[in-house]
Amino acid sequence: MCGIVGYIGNKNTKEILLEGLKELEYRGYDSAGIAVLQGENFESFKAVGKLVNLEEKTKNFVTQNFAVGIGHTRWATHGKPTELNAHPHLGESSYVVHNGIIENYAELKKELMREGVTFLSQTDTEVIVHQFEKNLKTHATPFEAFSQTIKELKGAYAILLVTKSKSDSIFFAKHGSPMIIGKNSENEKYFASSDTPLIGHCSDVNYFEDGDFGYVNLSEIVIVDKEGSKKQPHFSKLSTNKLSAQKDGFRFFMEKEIYEQSVVIADTLMGRLSESAVLFDELDTSLFNGINEIKLCACGTSYHSALSASYLFERYAKIKTSVEVASEFRYRQPIMTKDTLFVVISQSGETADTLETLKMAKEAGLKTLVICNVDNSSMVRLADASILTRAGIEKGVASTKAFATQVTVFWMLTLFVAKLKNSLASGEIARQIALLREIPSSVKVTDSMHEKIKRLSKRYLHGHGFFFIGRDIFYPLALEGALKLKEISYLHAEGYPSGEMKHGPIALADPELFTIALLPQYLLYEKAKSNVEELSARDSTICVISAIEFDKADDFIQISACRDYMLEFFEMMVVVQLLSLEISIRLGNDVDMPRNLAKSVTVE
Ligand code: M6R
């Protein structure tokens, strides 16, 4: 997601900022910008798309002597990825960059506009700089004005602000979004939203805590904590290994991405929920006019999220929904009718098979929608409408956070369609919106859960295969659990509907057959339990994942007692991801780059 850099010193500020932003590219972004203050002169540049566009725009801009500078890579949330919405945002004589969300921006903006301030962007960020300049008029010093501004902001943020009223300093604030300051023997100061831009430049770093704010210049680092007391920075030595810094201390990117799910799902939800409705600014409701059926088409993990969505669409939006594997669909001369909304799902937006089906649907004159993680990808450009999943760049080949955000988007989309079609009572929509808000906490990895899975993974390294079983929407989750395990452990695993085992696969049951059973408390519990008992009676080795204790299992992974089966779905998703991860690590495999697989499959 968004990235921040800042620099105070005598070196080439422009290059330092651009290099720093490059180090943050892995987080994902759709526009970027910098602002540099040299004495009384401000220069700012912004560009949509990749950093090369920003480099091109700044190629004639030279920075040599002392300067303060800030830079930003933006992943659009409030407002489209345009130059006007890109950071830094300008007031009269100050610039700001910001990660996070200012929850009370609408109120602040309304008041500022009433007082005559003109806003140039649709972002929540722009209020920060105008509010600061308003406070500058009534406070004795720029720092007092900044402190007052921070008091007035609600939400999550990492903020850097530069102003002509104190042209040797950078003001900063951190609450809920990461922010680090680094220093070196040359007395330069660097800011960034993660370690990587600082490696090679700084020897020591201080990690700000939530509520910290202050200002920094060549000779001072002034930090005030959330109680309003001044505090000393705590500098520690900075690692020199960029790759491990990008992994934030996790062993693999996949592990980091599993842990990130809580944050990225919060990003996926951000600005898209009111108390009673799901809001997709990017969708024109006319897309659904005359639509009687939804056809979902995708590959791999994205296919599994589509399959999950089909249960939700039919159950809540009461719309006929079918799901297709793209590589099959494209060659089977399917019948496509114009009352069908054709939806493709893809993390990358480039998967050849899925892209081809999108082209087929367009040629057949169907309305099309893509659920995608990459803006400006081929599918996003081609489809009539798109919803971005906002998972940030996913580095592990085995998809985790992309799947989590896809299912989140689908659940939201179901409620969006249900409201349009009036197929669900408003009270039920409101109840489910409240549940959606709980997903980020449901997917948080706890130490005890991770430790337990790490420990029990050693029992699942051999045997003649795995069955992941589940009913209803837990069947696609079983498919996804099996795919994860296959991809990174190279062990044979299948996902199966629990009720189908007795129609054939149960013949395989013996102690060397491992069954991972998904037993949600709130969906067909008794039915799914009987299916597990059938396997247990045939001596299959069973690991049950459930909120309810199950004494016929060899292993039991307890999830928390959630309020709804969808929250159980998300918690179990994390469990099956971690189980695959830990089995693969024990087998000594390259978790992030499993053999024979590519992240983006652009061939047939
Ligand atoms: O980029 P896409 O979502 O279109 O990719 C589809 C599949 O290739 C992808 O999900 C694949 O199955 C992953 N390796 C899953 O972990």
Side-chain angles (χ1 to χ4, degrees), residues 299-302 346-348 351 397-399 483-484 487 601:
C299 300
T301 288
S302 297
S346 174
Q347 185 282 128
S348 61
T351 303
V397 165
S399 184
L483 179 65
K484 281 294 83 70
E487 286 185 304
V601 186

Coordinates of all heavy atoms in Angstrom, one line a residue, residues 299-302 346-348 351 397-399 483-484 487 601, ligand 1:
C299 N -9.1 -18.7 -12.5 CA -8.2 -19.8 -12.4 C -7.7 -19.9 -11.0 O -7.5 -18.9 -10.3 CB -7.0 -19.7 -13.3 SG -7.3 -19.5 -15.0
G300 N -7.3 -21.1 -10.6 CA -6.6 -21.4 -9.3 C -7.3 -20.8 -8.1 O -8.5 -21.0 -7.9
T301 N -6.5 -20.1 -7.3 CA -7.1 -19.5 -6.1 C -8.2 -18.6 -6.4 O -9.2 -18.6 -5.7 CB -5.9 -18.8 -5.3 OG1 -5.1 -19.8 -4.8 CG2 -6.4 -17.9 -4.2
S302 N -8.1 -17.8 -7.4 CA -9.1 -16.9 -7.8 C -10.4 -17.6 -8.1 O -11.5 -17.2 -7.9 CB -8.7 -16.0 -9.0 OG -7.6 -15.2 -8.6
S346 N -9.1 -12.1 -10.8 CA -7.7 -12.3 -11.0 C -6.9 -11.5 -10.1 O -7.1 -10.2 -10.0 CB -7.3 -12.1 -12.4 OG -6.0 -12.2 -12.6
Q347 N -5.9 -12.1 -9.4 CA -5.0 -11.3 -8.6 C -4.2 -10.4 -9.5 O -4.1 -9.2 -9.3 CB -4.1 -12.2 -7.8 CG -3.1 -11.5 -6.8 CD -1.9 -10.9 -7.4 OE1 -1.6 -9.8 -7.2 NE2 -1.2 -11.7 -8.3
S348 N -3.6 -11.0 -10.5 CA -2.7 -10.2 -11.4 C -3.4 -9.4 -12.5 O -2.8 -8.4 -12.9 CB -1.7 -11.2 -12.1 OG -2.5 -12.1 -12.9
T351 N -3.7 -13.2 -16.2 CA -3.7 -14.6 -16.4 C -4.4 -14.8 -17.8 O -5.5 -14.4 -18.1 CB -4.5 -15.3 -15.3 OG1 -3.9 -15.0 -14.1 CG2 -4.6 -16.8 -15.5
V397 N 4.4 -16.8 -4.3 CA 3.7 -17.4 -5.4 C 2.3 -18.0 -5.0 O 1.3 -17.8 -5.7 CB 4.6 -18.4 -6.2 CG1 3.7 -19.2 -7.1 CG2 5.7 -17.7 -6.9
A398 N 2.4 -18.6 -3.8 CA 1.1 -19.1 -3.3 C 0.3 -18.0 -2.7 O 0.7 -17.3 -1.8 CB 1.4 -20.1 -2.2
S399 N -0.9 -17.8 -3.3 CA -1.7 -16.6 -3.0 C -2.4 -16.8 -1.6 O -2.9 -17.8 -1.3 CB -2.7 -16.5 -4.1 OG -3.5 -15.4 -3.9
L483 N -5.0 -26.7 -2.3 CA -4.2 -26.1 -3.3 C -2.9 -25.5 -2.7 O -1.8 -25.6 -3.2 CB -4.9 -25.0 -4.1 CG -4.1 -24.3 -5.2 CD1 -3.7 -25.3 -6.3 CD2 -4.9 -23.2 -5.8
K484 N -3.2 -24.8 -1.6 CA -2.0 -24.2 -0.9 C -1.0 -25.2 -0.5 O 0.2 -25.1 -0.7 CB -2.5 -23.5 0.4 CG -3.1 -22.1 0.3 CD -2.3 -21.0 -0.2 CE -2.2 -20.9 -1.6 NZ -3.2 -20.5 -2.5
E487 N 0.9 -26.7 -3.6 CA 1.8 -25.7 -4.2 C 3.1 -25.6 -3.5 O 4.1 -25.6 -4.2 CB 1.1 -24.3 -4.2 CG 0.0 -24.2 -5.2 CD -0.5 -22.7 -5.3 OE1 -0.9 -22.2 -4.2 OE2 -0.4 -22.1 -6.4
V601 N 0.5 -16.2 -14.6 CA 0.6 -17.3 -15.7 C 0.0 -16.7 -17.0 O -1.2 -16.7 -17.2 CB -0.2 -18.5 -15.2 CG1 0.0 -19.6 -16.3 CG2 0.3 -19.0 -13.9
Ligands
M6R1 O1 -3.5 -13.8 -11.1 P1 -4.6 -14.8 -11.0 O2 -5.4 -14.6 -9.8 O3 -5.5 -14.7 -12.2 O4 -3.9 -16.2 -11.0 C1 -4.7 -17.4 -11.0 C2 -3.8 -18.5 -10.6 O5 -2.7 -18.7 -11.4 C3 -3.3 -18.4 -9.2 O6 -4.4 -18.2 -8.3 C4 -2.5 -19.6 -8.7 O7 -3.4 -20.7 -8.5 C5 -1.8 -19.3 -7.4 N1 -0.5 -19.9 -7.5 C6 -2.5 -19.7 -6.2 O8 -1.7 -19.7 -5.1

